[in-house]
Amino acid sequence: MFADLHLHTKFSDGTYTPEELVAQAQFHKLSAIALTDHDTVEGCSRAAAACAAAGIEFIPGSELTSEHDDIEVHILAYFVDTTNAAFLTEIAKFQTARQNRIREMCAKLNAIGIGLQAEEVFTLASCHSPGRPHVARALVAGKHCRSLDVAFDRFLKKDRPAYVPKFKMSAAHAIELIHQAGGLAVMAHPALNHTDEIIPAIVAAGLDGIEVFHTKHGPNANHRYMDFAKKFNLLVTGGSDCHGMSKGRPLIGTVKLHLDYVEKMKAKAKK
Ligand code: AMP
Ligand code: ZN
Ligand code: FE
Ligand code: FE
């Protein structure tokens, strides 16, 4: 009886459709999953329908890109009301910022003689929440680069000619937004963003939980963040951060969260 609470689809930078993701969840015998596409909940209704048909519990979610003291911190939203107007209006602003960022990246590419148009990226991405991986895929599709790695190394990494920083909301704002939509706010993969020193401040802003179990967390990180969870009375979550085929092999089911933790989340979400 396990859950995977960190999953992406085509509605952000993953490669699976919601239906393909749920089929994979079924294959891996997961009892519950959450969809956490970046800055969007677009895929949640389809994932919910597919989960209902497959007998899998579905938790609507998102992964909001935020920052605190110039440190990037990803805040996972769980059990949000995906029809909440204020929530949708606010995240739409960040989707627009993502689209404008794609235009800026293409302008920078054009300035150095790479003829990639933003429309090509939007067509390929066909979602409201595009990011650098879509630009990389468009560069490969347009034969400007041999591979995604080359696209990042030559153009898209920080300090490369087409890099444009992402527009981020404050972590406190992300948490507030999630709460007003009835959800739980969870700090994603703390080891990846080196956010340890800001954890107390994020807790003070109302954080509900911390992602202890994650693909890129080794046993040391698991212990370390379990201790943080105890110290600050935070819910414990976990997930694979599966992006389908876009980051090597599909990771769904490789990080298994016991359902006891999901029950604790549900109890807090109800309050
Ligand atoms: P963004 O959020 O738009 O800045 O894009 C960040 C995404 O690009 C993350 O999901 C990274 O995993 C991905 N990424 C970063 N570097 C690479 C790379 N060298 N090859 C493929 N994907 C990458
Ligand atoms: Zn992603
Ligand atoms: Fe993340
Ligand atoms: Fe993620």
Side-chain angles (χ1 to χ4, degrees):
M1 302 294 274
F2 293 103
D4 187 335
L5 302 186
H6 193 152
L7 300 164
H8 296 271
T9 66
K10 277 172 174 289
F11 285 101
S12 64
D13 54 354
T15 59
Y16 289 142
T17 62
E19 292 77 17
E20 287 165 347
L21 181 75
V22 173
Q24 287 297 314
Q26 204 166 18
F27 178 78
H28 289 282
K29 300 190 165 45
L30 293 170
S31 303
I33 63 165
L35 180 58
T36 54
D37 273 317
H38 300 282
D39 302 325
T40 184
V41 291
E42 270 179 279
C44 285
S45 56
R46 278 171 57 182
C51 276
I56 294 171
E57 181 173 0
F58 180 69
I59 299 167
S62 185
E63 181 174 15
L64 303 183
T65 313
S66 75
E67 64 185 344
H68 182 88
D69 285 348
D70 286 328
I71 297 171
E72 182 161 331
V73 39
H74 295 181
I75 303 288
L76 294 159
Y78 292 115
F79 298 105
V80 278
D81 171 7
T82 56
T83 64
N84 181 283
F87 184 78
L88 294 175
T89 304
E90 193 59 22
I91 62 172
K93 288 185 199 162
F94 290 86
Q95 294 164 9
T96 303
R98 280 174 168 273
Q99 292 156 23
N100 290 336
R101 177 179 181 233
I102 303 290
R103 292 192 183 89
E104 279 182 66
M105 286 193 269
C106 288
K108 286 187 155 198
L109 286 166
N110 296 165
I112 54 166
I114 307 294
L116 182 70
Q117 302 308 313
E119 292 311 320
E120 294 173 63
V121 182
F122 296 145
T123 303
L124 179 144
S126 73
C127 69
H128 292 132
S129 220
R132 278 186 295 167
H134 298 112
V135 179
R137 282 185 223 160
L139 282 167
V140 173
K143 306 252 190 300
H144 302 288
C145 294
R146 263 186 296 117
S147 68
L148 299 178
D149 278 339
V150 171
F152 271 91
D153 286 341
R154 277 182 68 194
F155 302 120
L156 301 175
K157 274 186 182 169
K158 204 172 175 207
D159 302 321
R160 290 295 171 197
Y163 178 76
V164 178
K166 223 171 1 184
F167 181 58
K168 307 174 194 85
M169 66 182 94
S170 75
H173 184 54
I175 292 168
E176 187 192 310
L177 205 60
I178 293 164
H179 284 166
Q180 67 81 33
L184 298 172
V186 172
M187 184 187 275
H189 45 62
L192 243 74
N193 293 118
H194 310 288
T195 44
D196 289 13
E197 68 267 36
I198 61 168
I199 289 176
I202 311 285
V203 169
L207 191 72
D208 300 292
I210 187 161
E211 191 174 48
V212 171
F213 305 105
H214 183 272
T215 305
K216 295 203 174 154
H217 282 187
N220 287 341
N222 291 349
H223 282 123
R224 182 174 177 76
Y225 296 110
M226 200 55 112
D227 287 345
F228 269 107
K230 284 194 190 114
K231 184 174 170 193
F232 293 107
N233 193 27
L234 296 169
L235 294 163
V236 171
T237 78
S240 64
D241 212 351
C242 176
H243 284 72
M245 309 300 285
S246 70
K247 290 187 186 176
R249 76 200 168 95
L251 297 170
I252 182 169
T254 58
V255 172
K256 288 190 160 83
L257 183 76
H258 201 279
L259 281 190
D260 288 352
Y261 292 115
V262 178
E263 291 304 320
K264 288 187 180 132
M265 292 168 75
K266 276 155 74 175
K268 181 153 190 201
K270 276 207 189 86
K271 279 188 194 160

